[in-house]
Amino acid sequence: TFEYQTTEGFSLDLAKPESKRAIEVDGPSHYLRDPATGAAVVNGPTRFKARLLSALGWQVAHVAFFEWDDKSESERRQLLVDKLAQTP
């Protein structure tokens, strides 16, 4: 399901509610820049949502925009397969 809303009110980009598995595509607004290294770091609200969903039994794979943007269609499919395989 695209843009699924949980019973608790959380919005998920892609979800399979019957198994509580989801994919979240995290765009630039989900990240901050580490001033020391310049690396992208997941921001507080995104981390908090991930912790809450996990506590509710959801298994969520996160795909960062910078992992996605420069990929071909076949590479994107493989990225999703790999992310889902890494999700407990």
Side-chain angles (χ1 to χ4, degrees):
T1 305
F2 292 100
E3 281 297 322
Y4 177 77
Q5 186 169 356
T6 69
T7 56
E8 298 82 14
F10 293 104
S11 176
L12 296 165
D13 294 327
L14 299 162
K16 190 172 182 182
E18 59 277 5
S19 63
K20 285 196 162 185
R21 293 191 61 139
I23 297 172
E24 283 279 271
V25 180
D26 296 334
S29 66
H30 293 266
Y31 294 89
L32 303 171
R33 286 269 172 219
D34 182 316
T37 65
V41 179
V42 177
N43 67 22
T46 301
R47 286 178 187 242
F48 186 55
K49 179 181 175 183
R51 284 194 306 268
L52 290 172
L53 286 166
S54 179
L56 293 168
W58 281 88
Q59 297 173 324
V60 182
H62 291 267
V63 178
F65 73 98
F66 50 82
E67 295 176 301
W68 184 264
D69 284 350
D70 63 345
K71 303 266 190 285
S72 68
E73 187 174 335
S74 63
E75 290 171 322
R76 288 176 176 179
R77 284 189 184 136
Q78 188 60 51
L79 177 64
L80 291 176
V81 168
D82 293 345
K83 291 283 186 176
L84 287 169
Q86 295 168 8
T87 304

